[in-house]
């Protein structure tokens, strides 16, 4: 990301499928603080048309952990109606930074060894991790690459599963325990607005597993937003 930008540089429009209050607002605030040279606008996908700047280019960054086709199609319609001057980036994941944030969220709950750059525990507190997502089978397939990245960091098996469809977390747990992984943890690959807060808690309780918090406004999420903007700016 350049340290300075011209006054007419594209506006970064952060589009969230959920409510702009709460976690989305927190992420936008972190992006603004870390990148004061960028004009950042936060909007819901439904309100995107009203948030696009008039007479100025914009780069729309969807606040998604995977390329949800339904959300991206809605954004695409709005951008197409606008005409030229607006581009849309891909989702924030898969990316090593996303895996890092998931790792840290697990470590915060005592469900993973500390980050490799910091102090390391001697042994892992769990045998395997279920990377839980929302969006059905398509979402599970989309986060497979993130599961691989997280497994590489943890040096543990990581299996993706759905929180809102079958085969879900229970099926993944059965497979892992059949393979000898008794102690499990659920890592929600969600920012926080995608599902009711207790959905992860109930899924973890149903398989007698611990769970991490959603990604939320982790600094890695804000950095991924800025990187998405910067990459598009470079092209």
């Amino acid at each position: 990301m350049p340290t300075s930008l011209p006054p007419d540089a594209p506006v970064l429009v952060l589009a969230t499928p959920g409510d702009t209050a709460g976690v989305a607002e927190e992420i936008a605030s972190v992006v603004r603080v870390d990148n004061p040279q960028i004009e950042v606008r936060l909007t819901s996908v439904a309100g995107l048309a009203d948030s696009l700047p008039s007479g100025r280019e914009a780069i729309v960054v969807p606040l998604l952990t995977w390329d949800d086709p339904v959300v991206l199609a809605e954004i695409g319609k709005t951008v197409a109606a606008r005409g030229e001057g607006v581009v849309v980036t891909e989702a924030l994941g898969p990316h090593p930074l996303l895996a890092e944030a998931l790792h840290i969220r697990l470590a915060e709950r005592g469900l993973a060894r500390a980050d490799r750059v910091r102090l390391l525990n001697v042994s892992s507190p769990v045998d395997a991790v279920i990377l839980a997502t929302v969006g059905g089978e398509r979402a599970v397939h989309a986060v497979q690459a993130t599961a691989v990245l997280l497994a590489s960091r943890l040096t543990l098996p990581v299996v993706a599963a759905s929180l809102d469809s079958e085969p879900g977390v229970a099926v993944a747990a059965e497979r892992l325990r059949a393979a000898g992984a008794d102690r499990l943890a659920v890592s929600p690959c969600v920012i926080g607005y995608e599902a009711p807060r207790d959905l992860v808690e109930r899924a973890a309780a149903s398989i007698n597993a611990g769970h991490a918090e959603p990604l939320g406004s982790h600094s890695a999420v804000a950095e991924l937003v800025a990187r998405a903007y910067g990459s598009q700016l470079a092209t």
Side-chain angles (χ1 to χ4, degrees):
M1 176 63 65
T3 55
S4 62
L5 292 171
D8 62 346
V11 175
L12 191 167
V13 181
L14 186 58
T16 172
D19 196 333
T20 55
V23 63
E25 192 172 34
E26 292 170 5
I27 293 169
S29 295
V30 176
V31 175
R32 291 188 184 103
V33 170
D34 291 347
N35 304 274
Q37 73 276 31
I38 306 174
E39 180 180 339
V40 180
R41 298 185 183 183
L42 173 64
T43 180
S44 65
V45 172
L48 177 59
D50 294 332
S51 298
L52 295 175
S54 177
R56 188 171 167 191
E57 294 183 342
I59 296 174
V60 178
V61 180
L63 195 54
L64 300 168
T65 56
W66 63 285
D67 286 322
D68 186 329
V70 176
V71 176
L72 293 179
E74 191 172 347
I75 292 175
K77 289 178 183 177
T78 301
V79 170
R82 163 66 183 266
E84 298 182 351
V86 181
V87 294
V88 183
T89 72
E90 295 180 343
L92 305 182
H95 194 281
L97 273 175
L98 192 62
E100 178 183 342
L102 291 165
H103 183 172
I104 292 172
R105 287 291 188 241
L106 285 164
E108 288 171 348
R109 297 293 292 266
L111 297 170
R113 291 179 299 186
D115 188 84
R116 291 173 296 182
V117 178
R118 307 172 194 170
L119 296 176
L120 291 174
N121 296 327
V122 175
S123 61
S124 173
V126 300
D127 301 319
V129 172
I130 297 173
L131 188 66
T133 188
V134 173
E137 188 176 350
R138 184 175 285 173
V140 173
H141 178 75
V143 302
Q144 291 290 351
T146 301
V148 171
L149 291 169
L150 182 58
S152 177
R153 290 187 63 89
L154 300 175
T155 62
L156 292 172
V158 177
V159 174
S162 175
L163 286 166
D164 60 350
S165 70
E166 295 297 336
V169 170
V171 174
E174 185 178 352
R175 286 172 47 201
L176 287 168
R177 286 185 169 130
D182 293 324
R183 301 170 302 162
L184 304 179
V186 177
S187 175
C189 189
V190 296
I191 292 170
Y193 57 79
E194 299 93 333
R197 184 175 180 83
D198 66 346
L199 184 61
V200 176
E201 296 174 359
R202 287 188 281 109
S206 71
I207 60 170
N208 193 27
H211 69 88
E213 290 294 311
L215 291 162
S217 57
H218 191 280
S219 59
V221 176
E223 184 174 346
L224 284 169
V225 170
R227 285 188 180 214
Y229 173 90
S231 296
Q232 191 62 54
L233 194 66
T235 60

